[in-house]
Amino acid sequence: MTKQVSRPRAGLSREKVLDAAAAFVDEHGLPALSMRKLGTALGVEAMTLYYYVPSKAALFDGLVERTVEAALDGLVDRPSADWRETAISFAHGYRARLLRHPGVLPLIATRPVNSPRGFDTAERALAAFEAAGLPAGRAMDLFNALGTFAIGHTLAEIGRPTGHEETAEPPAEIDAGTHPRLAALVASGEGLDFDARFTAVVGFIVEGFAPEV
Amino acid sequence: MTKQVSRPRAGLSREKVLDAAAAFVDEHGLPALSMRKLGTALGVEAMTLYYYVPSKAALFDGLVERTVEAALDGLVDRPSADWRETAISFAHGYRARLLRHPGVLPLIATRPVNSPRGFDTAERALAAFEAAGLPAGRAMDLFNALGTFAIGHTLAEIGRPTGHEETAEPPAEIDAGTHPRLAALVASGEGLDFDARFTAVVGFIVEGFAPEV
DNA sequence: AGTATGTCTCTTACGTTGTAAGAAAAGCAA
DNA sequence: TTGCTTTTCTTACAACGTAAGAGACATACT
């Protein structure tokens, strides 16, 4: 009498695997993600995932592509008549959506944008900027400047990503004697408003390009 | 007759271990770094490293601290009389030194600056900016804006970090039909000059803060 | 000289990881 | 039923981080 195993199918798909990976990474942090744990989270053995994804590296690639596309998608769909507004809302939208997936951000930050939908967004942004009179090269610079600033700023904003807390030293032992200005700022909270700073700097960048239109 | 092993000491130190780790990571990429391989690079067994470093995570922390300190050290030692010049040279110096350790950059990008010498640099920069008349909060914003932009921009500049080449799809298959502007820019190379863009945008950011002094 | 004491390095071992190879079950068609 | 395709699992292996402790080296003291 052999044991009769009931093994109904899990009904997975590449999309579901990537969804679960994104959720897992946002909750537990990148380093905690293993194929076995992701499998468990999906009610499946690790090797099953390889039916949907050729390797862990490819899973990461898919994760990045998905998240970046979701972050960029629709951002410049209806460009404003004012190119500045287009640029500013692009930057703010991009940052806001990146913040939704803090676990994936470190992955995004280390790979160039290389996906069709990313290209679409860039193309539309370039079209809007060029239509307003910005030379093509300047339009590209503006787009890239906003993108890279958004990434750098957002990385700082999320701080040490989930999953690194164990290693973290106490956040700061700033000596008011040797670092009076730093200590005062931390105490008062001044200069630590990420929203305000991002808004201001994006504005500065956009204004910097303005004389060229 | 027991085998007589000659085991002269390797003469290691925490510094040498971190040096070797930085060199290894710059050459082979972060993911390639294992304790065993780093040991081999130093002519030593993996476990020997644990005499100098309590864990791999701590090794990473040390690597980041070292590299960031090296990147920041001396950058604002002799602030110019012109605060703009101070800000601009800080940004350029920071970027230039970050570019020297592309392998460590992804690690840096995901952790907050939390080291004494980093604080020193911040304190000096704040002093210079405040002396010029910038309100404390704005001085902090300027410093952080330049730092985060430098990180984001440099990440984009090094592209996919060493050790990820295998996974890389061909860099870009941009269709001139659907993405004419993008294709034209890539073809002409316009808007792809990292030096020029960084210089320009840093200038815009600094000028943006100027009205507040 | 020997011996004791610390400093440094190695050996062994365990649990976890990514994944190659292929068996086996589930679903569907004939 | 038989067969075929799609999906899942089992088994296995090399490489990883590192705990525990043994052993070799260096130095100081008798």
Side-chain angles (χ1 to χ4, degrees):
Chain A
M1 181 132 291
T2 64
K3 179 164 53 174
Q4 193 61 19
V5 261
S6 173
R7 211 162 58 190
R9 296 199 171 171
L12 293 187
S13 67
R14 188 185 138 89
E15 287 307 295
K16 288 187 186 172
V17 169
L18 289 178
D19 278 345
F24 188 99
V25 152
D26 282 336
E27 187 175 3
H28 303 104
L30 245 199
L33 180 67
S34 76
M35 299 303 271
R36 279 171 240 256
K37 289 193 219 147
L38 181 55
T40 302
L42 284 161
V44 116
E45 292 301 316
M47 287 312 290
T48 299
L49 303 175
Y50 285 86
Y51 185 77
Y52 300 98
V53 150
S55 69
K56 197 188 187 187
L59 189 156
F60 281 171
D61 284 341
L63 206 49
V64 169
E65 188 173 314
R66 253 176 81 76
T67 312
V68 168
E69 291 196 346
L72 289 175
D73 196 49
L75 273 191
V76 196
D77 269 2
R78 264 166 281 90
S80 156
D82 181 0
W83 67 275
R84 298 170 210 237
E85 217 175 278
T86 303
I88 289 171
S89 88
F90 159 73
H92 279 86
Y94 193 40
R95 163 172 173 259
R97 303 219 200 141
L98 288 178
L99 282 173
R100 280 192 211 147
H101 293 288
V104 189
L105 185 56
L107 227 39
I108 296 175
T110 59
R111 332 205 159 191
V113 177
N114 200 7
S115 82
R117 236 172 325 163
F119 291 156
D120 289 351
T121 305
E123 181 72 21
R124 269 195 295 269
L126 292 177
F129 299 157
E130 290 181 30
L134 258 189
R138 299 304 100 200
M140 185 72 157
D141 280 337
L142 172 56
F143 183 74
N144 280 325
L146 294 175
T148 56
F149 177 62
I151 296 257
H153 195 269
T154 309
L155 278 169
E157 195 160 358
I158 63 171
R160 190 172 289 237
T162 323
H164 283 262
E165 292 81 7
E166 342 79 43
T167 323
E169 307 133 37
E173 357 78 16
I174 296 178
D175 178 2
T178 57
H179 304 93
R181 282 162 260 259
L182 220 40
L185 286 166
V186 170
S188 72
E190 255 188 308
L192 300 175
D193 183 338
F194 285 97
D195 286 342
R197 187 200 307 146
F198 186 79
T199 302
V201 174
V202 164
F204 296 159
I205 294 175
V206 170
E207 280 314 310
F209 281 90
E212 308 217 35
V213 341
Chain B
M1 180 127 294
T2 62
K3 178 165 53 174
Q4 194 61 17
V5 258
S6 173
R7 213 161 59 189
R9 296 200 169 169
L12 293 188
S13 68
R14 189 185 137 89
E15 288 306 296
K16 288 187 186 172
V17 169
L18 290 178
D19 278 345
F24 188 98
V25 154
D26 283 336
E27 186 176 5
H28 304 104
L30 245 199
L33 180 67
S34 76
M35 298 304 269
R36 279 170 239 257
K37 288 193 221 148
L38 180 56
T40 302
L42 284 162
V44 117
E45 291 302 314
M47 287 312 289
T48 298
L49 303 175
Y50 284 86
Y51 186 76
Y52 300 98
V53 152
S55 69
K56 195 187 188 187
L59 189 155
F60 280 171
D61 284 342
L63 206 50
V64 169
E65 189 175 313
R66 252 177 81 75
T67 312
V68 168
E69 292 196 346
L72 289 176
D73 196 51
L75 273 191
V76 196
D77 269 1
R78 264 168 280 89
S80 157
D82 182 359
W83 68 275
R84 297 171 212 235
E85 217 175 278
T86 303
I88 289 172
S89 87
F90 160 73
H92 279 85
Y94 193 40
R95 165 172 172 259
R97 303 220 200 141
L98 288 178
L99 281 174
R100 281 192 210 145
H101 293 287
V104 189
L105 185 55
L107 226 39
I108 296 176
T110 59
R111 330 204 161 192
V113 177
N114 200 8
S115 82
R117 238 173 320 164
F119 291 156
D120 289 351
T121 305
E123 182 71 21
R124 270 196 293 270
L126 292 176
F129 299 157
E130 290 180 30
L134 259 190
R138 299 305 100 200
M140 185 73 157
D141 281 338
L142 173 56
F143 184 74
N144 280 326
L146 294 176
T148 56
F149 177 62
I151 296 256
H153 194 268
T154 308
L155 278 169
E157 195 162 357
I158 62 171
R160 187 171 292 236
T162 323
H164 283 261
E165 291 82 6
E166 342 77 43
T167 324
E169 307 132 36
E173 357 79 16
I174 297 176
D175 178 2
T178 58
H179 303 93
R181 281 162 261 260
L182 222 39
L185 286 167
V186 170
S188 72
E190 256 189 305
L192 299 176
D193 182 337
F194 286 97
D195 285 343
R197 187 201 306 146
F198 186 79
T199 301
V201 174
V202 164
F204 297 159
I205 293 175
V206 170
E207 279 315 309
F209 282 90
E212 307 217 34
V213 341

